[in-house]
Amino acid sequence: MPLGLGRRKKASPLVENEEAEPIRAGLNVPGMDDLDGGGLGLRDSATQEGLPPPPTNLRPRLIFHTQLAHGSPTGRIEGFSNVRELYAKIGEAFGIPPPEVMFCTLNTHKVDMDKLLGGQIGLEDFIFAHIKGQRKEVEVFKGEDALGLTITDNGAGYAFIKRIRDGSIVHQIQVINVGDMIESINGHSLIGCRHYEVAKMLKELPKGKNFVLKMVEPLKAFDMISQRSGGARAGSGTQLGTGRGTLRLRSKGPATVEDLPSAFEEKAIEKVDDLLECYMGIRDSELAATMVELGKDKKNPDEFAEALDETLGDFAFPDEFVFDVWGAIGDAKVGRL
């Protein structure tokens, strides 16, 4: 996508006054090939057809401690390179089917959306696995364009609610909670969908009509039952991990141990995440990190645009947005952010 220097256009947001943010999944440049049909994410694992998993001896020999979030003995897991393999290891440790795992949090058993596990795990982090609990069906009247939901996904086929805006339509429905997996909308299954697909579907529902959500809530411990919200806005400087390094999960290939992001990268990622919200109506810190990785060594915006098309072509970023992202990365390099 060479930049059309004379063409300035504005992207149509996927969600207006709503956000959609994926879990911190392994959205990294090496090994990314699918965004449910195009560019990134852990939905396609190393066991994809034609792509045998990496030899065990190439994977980091790191052991992590884990518990089920609602309560369990402590298990030990190792030898995983992506979210699907992680869930499989958790299933083995506790004798449950891997699809029962909805998402994981780091260092807390609560449904804390600022502590979601995804593509990076601190070497000293403790993993809490949230598994499926009660199913429920709710009829919602869409009286406004925006429902007040932030949607995320676990990188393995489940989309769930990350945040509920105070005073919104959904906030008034007490049975809908942060952490609830959205199983279907009006009977249309969402298993296997990414966060932006679900957000777009919710946005396109007709105003002034009812729709039906089928959801699954995470199984909760006693002290978690009254929780409703996910706390502060994600993507605003939250640093996962307590160790000096992190385990970086890969959609293909072995996981790697890496240093924490540099000060330049952290500043650039935060700014690009803000730009994503302005232009596309989503917040996605891992997508922002991928864009920074793609752009930090490019010599000009045209090279950057071509790299975006090759890796993240499904997003069809407008030229104006690409210029702004390129500028944000450049500003971070010289310390102006």
Side-chain angles (χ1 to χ4, degrees):
M1 181 189 76
L3 294 179
L5 300 180
R7 178 169 56 90
R8 313 292 280 179
K9 58 184 179 180
K10 194 87 169 181
S12 300
L14 293 177
V15 188
E16 211 169 287
N17 298 322
E18 296 182 46
E19 301 170 73
E21 179 175 352
I23 200 167
R24 293 176 61 86
L27 312 186
N28 43 73
V29 177
M32 293 196 315
D33 68 339
D34 196 331
L35 241 181
D36 267 22
L40 71 161
L42 289 178
R43 186 163 177 262
D44 294 314
S45 70
T47 56
Q48 190 177 22
E49 183 179 356
L51 296 170
T56 303
N57 61 359
L58 292 182
R59 303 182 186 188
R61 297 290 296 176
L62 301 173
I63 297 174
F64 293 87
H65 293 87
T66 182
Q67 289 181 358
L68 299 180
H70 65 281
S72 75
T74 299
R76 291 158 58 94
I77 56 176
E78 63 176 311
F80 54 89
S81 291
N82 54 62
V83 168
R84 291 185 185 275
E85 290 182 4
L86 169 62
Y87 290 1
K89 294 292 183 179
I90 292 173
E92 291 175 10
F94 297 106
I96 60 175
E100 287 297 302
V101 180
M102 294 174 59
F103 56 86
C104 295
T105 51
L106 299 176
N107 307 314
T108 179
H109 71 289
K110 296 184 178 181
V111 182
D112 185 342
M113 296 293 105
D114 290 330
K115 301 296 184 180
L116 287 172
L117 176 152
Q120 296 188 70
I121 308 173
L123 301 185
E124 298 176 9
D125 281 339
F126 197 107
I127 300 171
F128 289 90
H130 299 255
I131 67 171
K132 292 179 181 178
Q134 181 179 349
R135 281 180 163 78
K136 51 194 177 185
E137 181 174 315
V138 183
E139 187 171 355
V140 181
F141 177 74
K142 189 175 183 180
E144 301 175 13
D145 289 328
L147 296 170
L149 290 178
T150 298
I151 306 298
T152 187
D153 66 63
N154 68 352
Y158 295 160
F160 55 93
I161 297 172
K162 181 166 187 176
R163 188 166 68 251
I164 299 173
R165 192 179 70 246
D166 289 346
S168 63
I169 292 174
V170 171
H171 186 256
Q172 300 172 37
I173 305 174
Q174 294 298 312
V175 296
I176 300 179
N177 296 290
V178 166
D180 288 351
M181 183 185 82
I182 304 177
E183 196 170 44
S184 69
I185 299 175
N186 288 336
H188 179 80
S189 175
L190 301 178
I191 303 302
C193 290
R194 293 301 308 273
H195 67 291
Y196 58 89
E197 296 176 294
V198 177
K200 185 173 185 291
M201 187 177 299
L202 288 169
K203 176 63 181 175
E204 291 176 348
L205 290 170
K207 182 179 175 181
K209 293 187 178 182
N210 293 332
F211 65 94
V212 176
L213 291 175
K214 286 188 178 180
M215 296 175 292
V216 182
E217 64 182 37
L219 191 59
K220 299 176 182 178
F222 181 77
D223 64 340
M224 300 160 62
I225 292 175
S226 63
Q227 288 184 202
R228 266 226 93 185
S229 68
R233 185 182 79 172
S236 54
T238 301
Q239 178 65 61
L240 295 180
T242 58
R244 292 184 178 180
T246 62
L247 179 69
R248 183 67 177 257
L249 305 183
R250 303 285 182 183
S251 59
K252 295 184 294 184
T256 56
V257 176
E258 301 179 358
D259 293 332
L260 295 174
S262 66
F264 145 67
E265 289 171 326
E266 287 184 353
K267 290 179 181 179
I269 289 168
E270 184 175 355
K271 182 62 176 179
V272 173
D273 201 14
D274 290 341
L275 290 172
L276 281 167
E277 184 173 28
C278 291
Y279 278 87
M280 300 183 64
I282 67 173
R283 292 195 70 86
D284 186 337
S285 58
E286 284 295 337
L287 176 58
T290 298
M291 298 179 76
V292 171
E293 180 71 21
L294 287 170
K296 66 182 182 180
D297 296 324
K298 298 299 182 291
K299 297 178 180 179
N300 57 61
D302 280 326
E303 286 187 6
F304 178 48
E306 290 175 3
L308 288 178
D309 269 355
E310 183 177 346
T311 305
L312 305 173
D314 274 13
F315 281 95
F317 296 121
D319 290 352
E320 183 178 1
F321 173 70
V322 174
F323 274 119
D324 285 348
V325 171
W326 173 256
I329 295 172
D331 287 345
K333 286 181 180 179
V334 296
R336 292 203 296 265
L337 291 181

